[in-house]
Amino acid sequence: MASVGHNLKRVGAEVLAEMLAGYDVTHVFMVPAVLRRTFAEMERRTQIARVHCHGEKSAAYMADGYARASGKPGVCMAQVIGALNLAAGLRDAYLAHSPIIAMTGGRDPKTKFRKVYQEIDDVPAFEPVTKMNVTIDDVSRIPDMLRQAFRTATTGAPGPVHLQFRGNEGQLDLEEAEMDALVEAQFARVPAFRPEPEATHVKAALELLQKAERPIIVAGGGARASGAGKELVALAEALQIPVATSLNGKDVIPGAHALCVGVVGSYSRECANLAVNRADLVCFIGTETGGMTTHFWAAPKIGTPAIQIDIEPESLGRNYPLQASVLGDARSVLVRMLGQIDKTSAAKRAPWIKEIAALRGEWHAKYKSQLESDAVPIHPARICNELTRHMPDDAIVVVDTGHAGMWMGGMYDLRTPVQSYMRSAGHLGWAFPAGLGAKAACPERPVVVFTGDAGFWYHIGEVETAVRWNLASVTIVNNNGGGNQSKRGFDRAYGGQQTEQARELWTYNKTNFARLAEDMGALGIRVEKPGDIAPALAAAVAANRPAVIDIATDIEALAPTAVV
Ligand SMILES: Cc1ncc(C[n+]2csc(CCOP(=O)(O)OP(=O)(O)O)c2C)c(N)n1
Ligand SMILES: [Mg+2]
């Protein structure tokens, strides 16, 4: 704990700047004007980079990417008029359990309800997207409220918090009070605590796993946040249990691992859904068992024997009646299990593992022609395959939603346990700014974003931010000239076959994003032939400056939908 002494009158901005540095915050993402004096104090007292963005939503997404890449809360800020833009950007973080501290300017009691320029009551809008949503009205409360914000963001299932500072620009930071810049370093990253499970619960769950002949693990974002990948793979190997993941938990086991069946649910790999639906016991680890992960509770079907491990008691059994539930940190629970496993129970699962290998093989055979397609315009599955083979060993892969999520979730494999994967929890346009935040948090690791063109358009102005701050992520744009995930839906809306004019609902003008990126000072590479994907990736990673790889793809190629 860092303390600056007692009975000392200090300016709020000084304390806030020092505390953020004390919590190991390296970047804040914002649109001015908010907490201006705090920015001045950051410059005087800290090394914190103040990344000035082109919109509050993308600032929040950058903070989110920073948080998911590093486990450290991401900090973003907006003045009162930008507050709801910022709140909109917290929605993905809330859904994904990403720790964020959002700071906004707010109302002054002296003038509220008097039609102050740009002012409404923003606080209610933060309520559905935060774990904690508070106003700081007296400067002396900055230290304890900031500590509470870090504590809330990093404990249990992590998530965003909102601090509103008095004054439309948070001018509260100019005031003085007796206070200490006291920091609780434990809450500077996730997981702040690793709650140990009850021994009897661990034993009951393990006995069921060992008894099962066809068990499967479904691991989610909670396993990822706990850093439980190594222990999870060790347990799976020791007991010969196949592993499926949620989209949010994709990087807890490399896709290349023989026991990995892939992502289960809606944006999934067919063999994962099939495997989960053939299991006689499903072990959920750190997943909310929500609609996306279970394809609306069809994989597995409700009633399938299940056990669950989670850090949040209210998650246990929410959607699947359980034979055993274990409350605790995922890694801690797995360590306990590993300490008492009976490896001899694995032998009886040889037929199940053979069946799993066959399911994996069938999937590869079915999609081989797409994965290896030489078609021009390029088939997106071929991009995924090239990325599987050529992604740097320690890359952080950041993926947008829609078809981007489907292509990469289902068809891209992580090769190594140190490659990371982060995905939009549903918001189109999240990935590009999130990738910039990830690069800010982990400058030594390659960051490779996969997005569609509609996704990239959202925050394209942030290419300029990336250049200005040399946030050297590589952004791959699957450029098919439209939002072609919408194609199926409009086919249906038009009764089977849409009109030519209907395409105005989901297509754009043809654009060369590589050229646009070059104009903004980034490296732009246009790819039109499949053989050029790998060299473009290598060149973009080596360039060490923000890069956009624009890949011309087939607008008629539709990602496979979930099979159960
Ligand atoms: C904020 C938000 N608005 C709308 C959507 C609905 N949506 C999902 S995918 C999609 C189009 C995606 O287009 P693009 O990024 O070009 O990818 P493609 O489907 O063409 O591969 C839309 C509009 C969404 N997911 N998020
Ligand atoms: Mg598109």
Side-chain angles (χ1 to χ4, degrees):
M1 287 196 194
S3 174
V4 294
H6 293 278
N7 304 322
L8 205 64
K9 272 216 161 181
R10 306 213 57 209
V11 177
E14 298 172 10
V15 170
L16 186 52
E18 284 174 14
M19 285 183 72
L20 288 173
Y23 276 103
D24 198 23
V25 171
T26 59
H27 294 70
V28 298
F29 305 93
M30 52 82 193
V31 177
V34 57
L35 299 170
R36 293 188 211 238
R37 174 70 183 268
T38 300
F39 289 129
E41 297 302 337
M42 279 183 196
E43 186 174 318
R44 291 190 185 111
R45 295 159 191 275
T46 78
Q47 302 292 315
I48 297 172
R50 303 154 300 174
V51 181
H52 170 203
C53 308
H54 288 282
E56 293 84 1
K57 173 151 65 73
S58 44
Y61 288 168
M62 288 183 208
D64 189 0
Y66 175 102
R68 293 197 215 180
S70 65
K72 297 193 297 182
V75 178
C76 54
M77 302 175 175
Q79 78 174 56
V80 82
I81 191 65
L84 297 200
N85 298 347
L86 197 73
L90 298 183
R91 202 172 182 277
D92 213 84
Y94 185 79
L95 294 169
H97 293 294
S98 174
I100 294 198
I101 297 177
M103 301 182 178
T104 63
R107 308 162 98 187
D108 195 316
K110 286 200 192 98
T111 53
K112 66 183 180 182
F113 307 122
R114 297 185 63 191
K115 301 295 175 193
V116 177
Y117 178 52
Q118 299 179 324
E119 190 177 288
I120 61 164
D121 181 8
D122 296 312
V123 175
F126 283 87
E127 201 59 26
V129 293
T130 52
K131 291 177 74 181
M132 165 183 161
N133 179 26
V134 296
T135 57
I136 306 183
D137 307 306
D138 188 287
V139 69
S140 67
R141 298 299 306 279
I142 287 178
D144 76 293
M145 292 299 248
L146 192 67
R147 285 195 294 275
Q148 188 64 13
F150 275 91
R151 187 178 357 268
T152 306
T154 57
T155 53
V161 305
H162 172 226
L163 303 176
Q164 189 196 65
F165 292 78
R166 174 160 57 74
N168 61 355
E169 298 177 0
Q171 294 92 329
L172 183 70
D173 72 342
L174 294 166
E175 297 179 13
E176 286 187 339
E178 270 180 24
M179 52 188 164
D180 280 353
L182 188 126
V183 162
E184 296 161 318
Q186 177 174 2
F187 304 100
R189 68 177 60 239
V190 170
F193 291 110
R194 292 190 176 279
E196 286 288 336
E198 287 186 40
T200 51
H201 297 165
V202 174
K203 189 158 174 279
L206 187 59
E207 275 172 7
L208 287 164
L209 266 179
Q210 292 180 160
K211 212 169 77 195
E213 288 182 8
R214 307 160 66 80
I216 194 161
I217 290 170
V218 174
R224 174 179 207 272
S226 166
K230 201 167 120 233
E231 291 73 16
L232 189 137
V233 172
L235 186 85
E237 286 174 352
L239 295 180
Q240 289 295 290
I241 301 176
V243 179
T245 72
S246 72
L247 206 50
N248 200 17
K250 185 171 164 81
D251 60 5
V252 298
I253 180 169
H257 195 289
L259 289 170
C260 177
V261 292
V263 173
V264 68
S266 299
Y267 291 0
S268 58
R269 182 174 292 187
E270 216 165 293
C271 55
N273 285 5
L274 295 176
V276 164
N277 269 341
R278 291 185 193 183
D280 64 358
L281 180 72
V282 179
C283 175
F284 295 110
I285 305 179
T287 163
E288 292 179 313
T289 67
M292 187 69 165
T293 301
T294 60
H295 196 47
F296 298 89
W297 309 285
K301 293 184 179 53
I302 289 176
T304 306
I307 59 182
Q308 193 172 354
I309 298 165
D310 208 277
I311 200 164
E312 293 287 351
E314 69 266 26
S315 280
L316 294 166
R318 175 182 280 126
N319 291 321
Y320 292 88
L322 301 175
Q323 301 195 340
S325 26
V326 186
L327 179 66
D329 166 65
R331 194 175 89 186
S332 301
V333 174
L334 290 164
V335 167
R336 294 276 153 179
M337 285 186 164
L338 283 165
Q340 49 187 300
I341 48 172
D342 170 14
K343 283 193 188 176
T344 63
S345 77
K348 65 172 176 289
R349 286 186 277 278
W352 174 226
I353 296 303
K354 224 170 121 190
E355 199 176 322
I356 292 293
L359 282 175
R360 278 168 51 102
E362 282 159 27
W363 180 84
H364 278 283
K366 182 167 171 184
Y367 289 102
K368 188 173 167 15
S369 63
Q370 290 187 18
L371 291 163
E372 296 175 5
S373 167
D374 286 324
V376 174
I378 294 171
H379 195 291
R382 175 71 189 265
I383 307 176
C384 298
N385 191 23
E386 294 294 320
L387 295 180
T388 298
R389 291 166 57 212
H390 301 289
M391 193 63 78
D393 287 350
D394 60 342
I396 299 173
V397 183
V398 185
V399 181
D400 217 51
T401 193
H403 267 161
M406 292 167 84
W407 290 123
M408 288 291 278
M411 300 214 167
Y412 166 76
D413 274 331
L414 296 145
R415 274 193 337 272
T416 78
V418 288
Q419 286 172 329
S420 304
Y421 188 94
M422 307 160 15
R423 61 79 173 108
S424 162
H427 293 85
L428 195 66
W430 173 87
F432 170 56
L436 299 181
K439 190 67 189 177
C442 304
E444 72 294 348
R445 292 178 66 184
V447 172
V448 179
V449 173
F450 183 102
T451 177
D453 51 319
F456 190 53
W457 275 121
Y458 265 84
H459 305 107
I460 196 165
E462 304 297 356
V463 173
E464 190 275 337
T465 307
V467 172
R468 198 163 15 98
W469 282 92
N470 195 27
L471 296 170
S473 67
V474 175
T475 301
I476 295 172
V477 184
N478 167 23
N479 184 3
N480 52 18
N484 86 326
Q485 197 188 34
S486 298
K487 183 177 182 304
R488 283 191 184 104
F490 285 118
D491 281 344
R492 275 196 302 275
Y494 278 82
Q497 181 72 41
Q498 53 183 295
T499 59
E500 196 47 39
Q501 197 184 341
R503 291 172 89 88
E504 71 192 24
L505 296 166
W506 56 279
T507 62
Y508 301 118
N509 290 342
K510 279 195 182 345
T511 303
N512 182 330
F513 291 107
R515 218 161 47 213
L516 286 183
E518 285 279 334
D519 275 354
M520 286 188 263
L523 171 64
I525 306 177
R526 168 90 173 168
V527 172
E528 294 178 351
K529 295 199 294 287
D532 294 340
I533 298 171
L537 177 65
V541 171
N544 225 1
R545 48 190 276 242
V548 173
I549 303 177
D550 182 51
I551 307 188
T553 57
D554 181 4
I555 195 159
E556 299 302 327
L558 299 180
T561 49
V563 169
V564 287

